[in-house]
Amino acid sequence: MAEAEVGDDVFGEDPTVNRLEGLAADTLDKEAALYVASGTMANLCSLLAHTERGDEVIVGRGSHIFLNEVAGAAVAGGLQFQPIDDRGGHVTAQLVDEAVRGQNIHWPRTRLVCLENTHNLAGGVVMTPAETDAVLEVARRHGLKTHLDGARLFNAAVYLSLPANTLAAGFDSVYICLSKGLGAPVGSLTCGPRDFIERARKYRKMLGGGMRQAGVIAAAGIVALTSMVDRLAEDHRTARYIAEGIHDLLGIQLDLSRVQTNILFLGFSRPDLDAVQVSAQLRQRGILAAPSGSTRMRLVTHHHVTMADAGAVVTAFRDICTSAAPQPAGTAASGSPY
Ligand SMILES: Cc1ncc(COP(=O)(O)O)c(C=O)c1O
């Protein structure tokens, strides 16, 4: 980062940003890419670039775009979402087909279908190319655009032992994040056809996301894409190790079949185990976990979580679950949106 060659990226003159964008486009086999500050901005620029005001966008009911992006698509794009069931992290072609609007003077135009792979809220669950291809076929049949929220696409690729471009194939646009499992301090990219990227670039500027000497941070993105992808398998191993070490504890609900990548969602079924209080106890041991209300918690493994750390997490849960004292349920403050 300190040695990054920089220029003014608003004028397309930052060589390091240009290199990163080229690398992302090549990696996903798309014509072009756009570097943005965050995943939320990547999704919003993509949605805006695919649509016109008043269009309807089909999204998973549990997707990040629907739940956790502050209704940006409605505010900035005048878009309406049609949420469909994505329980377990999977969207079926049939549900998409049923959600597409026909011709009727009363109805908005369905324009875009968004998928999420891996699916965050379902616990980092992977959609296979067979599943996504079936959805893409329906979208094509109805003349719809398709966007993939691939915040954790490389986790899916590593899980399936497939190149990321195979999972991106057929989508009009794909967003990837550099700052989650890939470990860069900041940054995301949306990738797609050149004309789509030019529209998205204009929206990035409108949203205040045009950066100047952004090569300093883009340099970390190049490291992320070139050296952090294959090692995601280690994060999957540590997550699995934790899951197997705690799933049988009394009061913990954990579906091992959903622990495919680096995310674990736990449920607490004992009133004396409150997610907010458990996370406070974990924090005292240097373990950061995100409670969601009083009965759910998200754990994520990453580059800095070693196998020894994973062992310490298992020990901590075993200690907490065996020493928890009965207390009234439902007194916890609400936690993270996850
Ligand atoms: C699936 C998914 N998409 C998009 C985002 C948004 O990314 P950012 O936090 O960089 O805006 C997240 C963040 O957790 C996510 O999990």
Side-chain angles (χ1 to χ4, degrees):
M1 292 171 77
E3 289 165 10
E5 209 187 330
V6 295
D8 189 333
D9 181 48
V10 169
F11 293 105
E13 290 173 359
D14 188 298
T16 311
V17 172
N18 292 344
R19 215 178 114 208
L20 172 64
E21 291 179 343
L23 182 61
D26 288 349
T27 304
L28 295 192
D29 223 355
K30 302 291 180 197
E31 268 178 26
L34 176 71
Y35 183 51
V36 295
S38 68
T40 301
M41 189 180 277
N43 279 332
L44 183 52
C45 288
S46 304
L47 265 61
L48 294 174
H50 279 309
T51 57
E52 289 169 21
R53 296 184 72 75
D55 282 347
E56 190 165 79
V57 180
I58 298 173
V59 291
R61 198 179 301 287
S63 68
H64 197 277
I65 289 178
F66 181 55
L67 291 179
N68 290 324
E69 301 192 1
V70 211
V75 175
L79 299 174
Q80 171 165 294
F81 285 137
Q82 173 150 183
I84 62 170
D85 192 3
D86 58 355
R87 232 168 305 165
H90 303 271
V91 165
T92 66
Q94 186 190 340
L95 281 184
V96 173
D97 202 23
E98 287 166 7
V100 178
R101 306 270 194 164
Q103 290 295 331
N104 185 309
I105 186 73
H106 302 90
W107 295 343
R109 176 180 73 151
T110 307
R111 181 60 178 160
L112 176 66
V113 181
C114 299
L115 296 183
E116 184 175 312
N117 200 10
T118 68
H119 193 292
N120 177 24
L121 208 63
V125 167
V126 175
M127 272 184 88
T128 63
E131 290 176 282
T132 55
D133 283 351
V135 172
L136 291 172
E137 198 279 314
V138 168
R140 256 192 306 273
R141 182 150 43 82
H142 291 287
L144 307 180
K145 296 286 180 190
T146 51
H147 173 69
L148 178 62
D149 179 337
R152 300 177 184 80
L153 186 67
F154 295 104
N155 294 91
V158 166
Y159 174 77
L160 294 168
S161 300
L162 289 172
N165 63 4
T166 302
L167 303 187
F171 285 92
D172 291 298
S173 60
V174 179
Y175 134 61
I176 51 171
C177 187
L178 304 167
S179 69
K180 296 187 172 66
L182 299 191
V186 66
S188 289
L189 296 125
T190 190
C191 310
R194 206 169 298 285
D195 58 339
F196 159 84
I197 290 297
E198 282 325 303
R199 282 196 301 282
R201 192 178 292 282
K202 190 104 177 170
Y203 283 119
R204 181 186 73 172
K205 187 74 182 111
M206 185 192 84
L207 295 168
M211 295 184 278
R212 302 294 174 180
Q213 285 77 22
V216 173
I217 48 175
I222 292 171
V223 175
L225 278 186
T226 52
S227 66
M228 298 295 282
V229 171
D230 293 341
R231 64 145 308 285
L232 291 173
E234 293 168 34
D235 301 341
H236 300 179
R237 272 195 292 277
T238 43
R240 190 77 204 171
Y241 183 86
I242 294 169
E244 287 177 357
I246 67 174
H247 81 282
D248 60 345
L249 287 172
L250 188 64
I252 299 247
Q253 293 173 322
L254 174 55
D255 180 351
L256 282 180
S257 71
R258 293 241 196 132
V259 185
Q260 299 176 352
T261 55
N262 66 330
I263 297 178
L264 292 95
F265 269 100
L266 315 179
F268 294 100
S269 59
R270 264 166 51 190
D272 57 323
L273 283 178
D274 177 284
V276 175
Q277 286 168 9
V278 171
S279 77
Q281 287 171 281
L282 291 170
R283 183 180 281 269
Q284 281 170 2
R285 297 174 181 236
I287 299 162
L288 303 181
S292 175
S294 59
T295 59
R296 235 171 149 228
M297 173 182 284
R298 188 178 78 143
L299 298 173
V300 178
T301 56
H302 54 80
H303 181 42
H304 292 119
V305 177
T306 63
M307 211 29 126
D309 294 328
V313 173
V314 171
T315 305
F317 269 96
R318 291 202 162 266
D319 291 351
I320 291 166
C321 287
T322 47
S323 66
Q327 57 192 251
T331 51
S334 65
S336 86
Y338 301 101

